[in-house]
Amino acid sequence: KAGVTQTPRYLIKTRGQQVTLSCSPISGHRSVSWYQQTPGQGLQFLFEYFSETQRNKGNFPGRFSGRQFSNSRSEMNVSTLELGDSALYLCASRPSTGNTEAFFGQGTRLTVV
Amino acid sequence: SQQGEEDPQALSIQEGENATMNCSYKTSINNLQWYRQNSGRGLVHLILIRSNEREKHSGRLRVTLDTSKKSSSLLITASRAADTASYFCATDSGGSYIPTFGRGTSLIVHP
């Protein structure tokens, strides 16, 4: 079974631009969560999608958004990028919202210059 | 915000020694998990312990949970250089099974 796939692996963007990151969960997994990891704040939960609906949301500004497609693939979007958005963005899939063990992708390293 | 906090932040040991990491959390939990992350990569699930369990083993890993103290420990026995990584505890609570992570312990095992 293929693992969680995140694309792209690395990204460099300029302040003010927007970016879209993609995540394909493990086949059969319907829950996709996104996390931001920075040295200062650690792993912060962004949001979770299940059955194309956002089920939970962390404490991030509205510039961070996401969506999930009918095949469970998910995208997250960050608009009006700031330097502080530079981070490793991790996607995690779970079979459903009732399972806690999460399977992570390799992450997308976003650098904002 | 972090639910769990690992201690110590960094740990440096020699190959063959045991490594112990601790995690403290603030509110009642459903489950506690430990994950490993190699530098700049995704997290890998190591072990899950439920709130009604006290101890669990998996290979060279031993996890304990003390819900009265709201704390857990991860013991890695006979450490290897390949165990060098960051280790995170994650908890979930209430009706949400979304794991919330601590800041991690950075473990270096010298060959």
Coordinates of all heavy atoms in Angstrom, one line a residue, chain B residues 7-14 17-22 74 76 79 84-85 87 104-110:
Chain B
D7 N 10.4 16.0 27.8 CA 11.5 16.3 28.6 C 12.5 15.2 28.6 O 12.0 14.0 28.7 CB 11.1 16.7 30.0 CG 12.2 16.8 31.0 OD1 12.9 17.8 30.8 OD2 12.4 16.0 31.8
P8 N 13.8 15.3 28.4 CA 14.4 16.6 28.1 C 14.2 17.1 26.7 O 13.7 16.3 25.8 CB 15.9 16.3 28.3 CG 16.0 14.9 27.9 CD 14.7 14.2 28.3
Q9 N 14.6 18.3 26.4 CA 14.5 18.8 25.0 C 15.6 18.1 24.1 O 15.3 17.9 22.9 CB 14.8 20.3 25.0 CG 13.6 21.1 25.5 CD 13.8 22.6 25.3 OE1 14.9 23.1 25.2 NE2 12.7 23.3 25.1
A10 N 16.7 17.8 24.7 CA 17.8 17.1 24.0 C 18.4 16.1 24.8 O 18.6 16.2 26.1 CB 18.8 18.1 23.5
L11 N 18.9 15.0 24.2 CA 19.5 13.9 24.9 C 20.6 13.3 24.0 O 20.4 13.0 22.9 CB 18.4 12.8 25.2 CG 18.8 11.6 26.0 CD1 19.3 12.0 27.4 CD2 17.6 10.7 26.2
S12 N 21.8 13.1 24.6 CA 22.9 12.6 23.9 C 23.5 11.4 24.6 O 23.8 11.5 25.8 CB 24.0 13.7 23.7 OG 25.1 13.2 23.0
I13 N 23.5 10.3 24.0 CA 24.0 9.1 24.7 C 24.9 8.2 23.8 O 25.0 8.5 22.6 CB 22.8 8.2 25.1 CG1 22.0 7.7 23.9 CG2 22.0 8.9 26.1 CD1 20.9 6.7 24.2
Q14 N 25.5 7.2 24.3 CA 26.4 6.3 23.5 C 25.6 5.1 23.1 O 24.6 4.7 23.8 CB 27.6 5.9 24.4 CG 28.6 7.0 24.8 CD 29.2 7.6 23.5 OE1 29.3 8.8 23.4 NE2 29.8 6.7 22.7
E17 N 23.5 2.3 25.2 CA 22.9 2.8 26.5 C 21.4 2.9 26.2 O 20.9 2.8 25.1 CB 23.4 4.2 26.8 CG 24.9 4.2 27.2 CD 25.4 5.6 27.6 OE1 24.8 6.6 27.1 OE2 26.4 5.6 28.3
N18 N 20.6 3.0 27.3 CA 19.2 3.2 27.3 C 18.9 4.7 27.2 O 19.6 5.5 27.8 CB 18.5 2.6 28.5 CG 18.6 1.1 28.6 OD1 19.0 0.5 27.6 ND2 18.4 0.5 29.7
A19 N 17.8 5.0 26.5 CA 17.3 6.4 26.4 C 15.9 6.5 27.0 O 15.1 5.7 26.6 CB 17.4 6.9 25.0
T20 N 15.7 7.5 27.9 CA 14.4 7.7 28.5 C 14.0 9.1 28.2 O 14.7 10.1 28.4 CB 14.4 7.4 30.0 OG1 14.8 6.1 30.2 CG2 13.0 7.7 30.6
M21 N 12.8 9.2 27.6 CA 12.1 10.5 27.4 C 10.8 10.6 28.1 O 10.1 9.6 28.2 CB 11.9 10.7 25.9 CG 13.2 10.9 25.1 SD 13.0 10.5 23.4 CE 13.6 8.8 23.4
N22 N 10.5 11.7 28.6 CA 9.2 11.9 29.3 C 8.3 12.9 28.6 O 8.7 13.8 27.9 CB 9.5 12.4 30.7 CG 10.5 11.5 31.5 OD1 10.2 10.3 31.7 ND2 11.7 12.0 31.8
L74 N 8.9 7.2 27.5 CA 9.4 6.3 26.4 C 10.8 5.8 26.7 O 11.7 6.7 26.9 CB 9.3 7.0 25.1 CG 9.9 6.2 23.9 CD1 9.1 5.0 23.6 CD2 10.0 7.2 22.7
I76 N 13.9 3.6 25.3 CA 14.5 2.9 24.2 C 15.7 2.1 24.8 O 16.6 2.7 25.3 CB 15.0 3.8 23.1 CG1 13.8 4.7 22.6 CG2 15.5 3.0 21.9 CD1 14.2 5.7 21.5
S79 N 20.3 1.4 22.8 CA 20.2 2.4 21.6 C 21.2 2.1 20.5 O 22.3 1.6 20.8 CB 20.3 3.8 22.2 OG 19.3 4.1 23.0
T84 N 18.9 7.8 16.3 CA 19.1 9.3 16.3 C 17.9 9.9 15.5 O 17.7 9.6 14.4 CB 20.4 9.7 15.7 OG1 21.5 9.2 16.5 CG2 20.5 11.2 15.5
A85 N 17.1 10.7 16.2 CA 15.9 11.3 15.7 C 15.3 12.2 16.7 O 15.8 12.3 17.8 CB 14.9 10.2 15.2
Y87 N 11.8 12.7 18.9 CA 10.7 11.9 19.4 C 9.6 12.8 20.0 O 9.9 13.7 20.8 CB 11.2 10.9 20.4 CG 12.1 9.8 19.8 CD1 13.5 10.1 19.6 CD2 11.6 8.6 19.4 CE1 14.3 9.2 19.0 CE2 12.5 7.7 18.9 CZ 13.8 8.0 18.6 OH 14.6 7.0 18.0
G104 N 8.8 17.9 21.3 CA 9.8 16.8 21.0 C 11.1 16.8 21.8 O 11.5 17.8 22.3
T105 N 11.7 15.6 21.8 CA 13.0 15.4 22.4 C 13.9 15.0 21.2 O 13.6 14.1 20.5 CB 13.0 14.3 23.4 OG1 12.2 14.7 24.6 CG2 14.4 13.9 23.8
S106 N 15.0 15.7 21.1 CA 16.0 15.4 20.1 C 17.0 14.4 20.7 O 17.7 14.7 21.7 CB 16.7 16.7 19.7 OG 17.8 16.4 18.8
L107 N 17.1 13.2 20.2 CA 18.0 12.2 20.7 C 19.1 12.0 19.7 O 18.9 11.8 18.5 CB 17.2 10.9 20.8 CG 18.1 9.6 21.2 CD1 18.7 9.8 22.5 CD2 17.3 8.3 21.1
I108 N 20.3 12.0 20.2 CA 21.5 11.7 19.4 C 22.2 10.5 20.1 O 22.5 10.5 21.3 CB 22.5 12.9 19.4 CG1 21.8 14.1 18.7 CG2 23.8 12.5 18.7 CD1 22.7 15.3 18.7
V109 N 22.4 9.5 19.3 CA 23.1 8.3 19.7 C 24.4 8.2 19.0 O 24.5 8.1 17.8 CB 22.3 7.0 19.5 CG1 23.0 5.8 20.0 CG2 20.9 7.1 20.1
H110 N 25.5 8.3 19.8 CA 26.8 8.3 19.2 C 27.3 6.9 19.1 O 27.2 6.0 20.0 CB 27.8 9.1 20.2 CG 27.4 10.5 20.3 ND1 27.8 11.5 19.4 CD2 26.7 11.1 21.3 CE1 27.3 12.6 19.8 NE2 26.7 12.5 21.0

